[in-house]
Amino acid sequence: ITPKGDLLWDREAQSITLKEQERKKSVTCGSCYGAELYADQCCNTCDEVLEAYTKRKWSPPQQHLIEQCKRRLHLDDERPTKPEGCMIFGHLLMKRIPGNFHFTINQVGQMMMATGTLDIDGSHKVNHIQFTDPEYSPKLIDGPLDGYFSDRTYVTQYYLKVVPAILPSGARYYESSGHQNIVPGVHPPEISFSYDVDPITTKYSNPKSF
């Protein structure tokens, strides 16, 4: 309907609608640089472009060629270079069989590393790691890896030997020994802990006096 109240031809109305859609798309819809998963998909941020390539399992173009990434690259140059990190604390309930647990970054993080938007390695410090029996109140026992610091390494593998033990009081705990292996080269950061539980339990008793 025109401002005068006249009806437009359907073809003319459709043309106006398409022109308006194209105008909005040119303003608000960023290119996914060929990695669109569906028609009219918009990638308005650098992360959305990288995510689209990740979902297609494609290698993304260099970020200085992606319009949405240029601004972030400029902002990164202005940011302070103070390193960032995180602290992980928690408990894991495990069976008394050999196993492992590890920490690494996800696929998006790996893609960002490959394109240079994420600078991260596997530097870390093991403050404390201990194996305890959940039926007894755990006491802080020095672990074989406590205080170990790994600097500018990407993949560190820890191996722990765990031996069950029983104190004279009947309390159960676990003695452990360990060592580490550093994988040379640049890889997606990963810190892994593998442990082996000894099937033999060590039992301590008070010496008898005669």
Side-chain angles (χ1 to χ4, degrees):
I1 301 176
T2 66
K4 296 182 180 181
D6 300 328
L7 293 176
L8 295 173
W9 287 66
D10 289 344
R11 182 177 298 177
E12 186 177 357
Q14 183 180 12
S15 176
I16 293 174
T17 301
L18 291 175
K19 288 180 179 179
E20 180 65 16
Q21 290 177 349
E22 289 296 325
R23 184 189 69 80
K24 290 183 178 180
K25 182 176 180 181
S26 64
V27 175
T28 62
C29 187
S31 172
C32 295
Y33 294 83
E36 293 86 352
L37 300 173
Y38 52 87
D40 298 328
Q41 180 181 358
C42 298
C43 295
N44 295 324
T45 67
C46 184
D47 288 339
E48 289 177 350
V49 176
L50 297 178
E51 184 179 5
Y53 272 83
T54 300
K55 289 182 177 179
R56 282 193 173 272
K57 298 182 179 180
W58 292 355
S59 297
Q62 295 295 320
Q63 291 201 25
H64 68 275
L65 301 176
I66 301 175
E67 193 64 32
Q68 295 90 319
C69 297
K70 290 181 180 179
R71 174 174 170 76
R72 186 163 75 177
L73 291 174
H74 175 69
L75 293 176
D76 287 342
D77 292 338
E78 298 178 350
R79 291 175 183 172
T81 57
K82 182 179 179 180
E84 298 180 359
C86 60
M87 180 176 290
I88 300 175
F89 173 84
H91 299 82
L92 299 174
L93 187 61
M94 308 171 180
K95 296 181 179 180
R96 290 180 52 177
I97 57 175
N100 67 84
F101 57 94
H102 66 276
F103 305 93
T104 186
I105 59 175
N106 59 20
Q107 189 176 8
V108 174
Q110 295 179 22
M111 185 67 69
M112 294 175 68
M113 281 187 64
T115 56
T117 56
L118 181 64
D119 181 17
I120 184 174
D121 59 37
S123 298
H124 65 279
K125 179 181 180 181
V126 180
N127 291 312
H128 180 66
I129 183 169
Q130 177 182 346
F131 292 83
T132 61
D133 193 312
E135 296 182 1
Y136 295 88
S137 299
K139 294 182 180 180
L140 190 63
I141 301 175
D142 291 339
L145 304 178
D146 291 3
Y148 179 80
F149 179 70
S150 180
D151 185 27
R152 300 297 298 179
T153 57
Y154 286 88
V155 177
T156 305
Q157 301 167 334
Y158 292 101
Y159 301 93
L160 293 153
K161 182 70 173 181
V162 184
V163 181
I166 302 176
L167 296 176
S169 63
R172 296 178 179 270
Y173 78 106
Y174 292 88
E175 300 173 321
S176 59
S177 59
H179 65 279
Q180 64 279 340
N181 175 51
I182 296 175
V183 178
V186 178
H187 308 274
E190 181 178 8
I191 306 166
S192 64
F193 297 83
S194 299
Y195 57 90
D196 185 16
V197 182
D198 199 306
I200 300 176
T201 300
T202 302
K203 186 174 182 179
Y204 294 93
S205 59
N206 293 321
K208 296 181 180 180
S209 58
F210 296 95

